[in-house]
Amino acid sequence: MFSAIADVLRQIGSAIATVVTLPFRALARLFGGASRGGRTRHG
């Protein structure tokens, strides 16, 4: 019984991790491309 609960919690945790890291990954790619573009404005 406990193993089943642990399995469900593990699946939920992995799903939440993917959902949370997706926007950060997109932001990192966006800011990375902007910084590499050379048109970054400071301030």
Side-chain angles (χ1 to χ4, degrees):
M1 180 177 173
F2 283 114
S3 61
I5 293 174
D7 206 26
V8 171
L9 285 177
R10 202 175 298 122
Q11 288 181 353
I12 292 173
S14 64
I16 290 175
T18 50
V19 169
V20 167
T21 51
L22 268 175
F24 283 115
R25 226 176 278 166
L27 277 175
R29 191 181 301 152
L30 203 150
F31 282 116
S35 65
R36 276 196 298 272
R39 294 191 303 171
T40 54
R41 249 179 276 160
H42 297 289

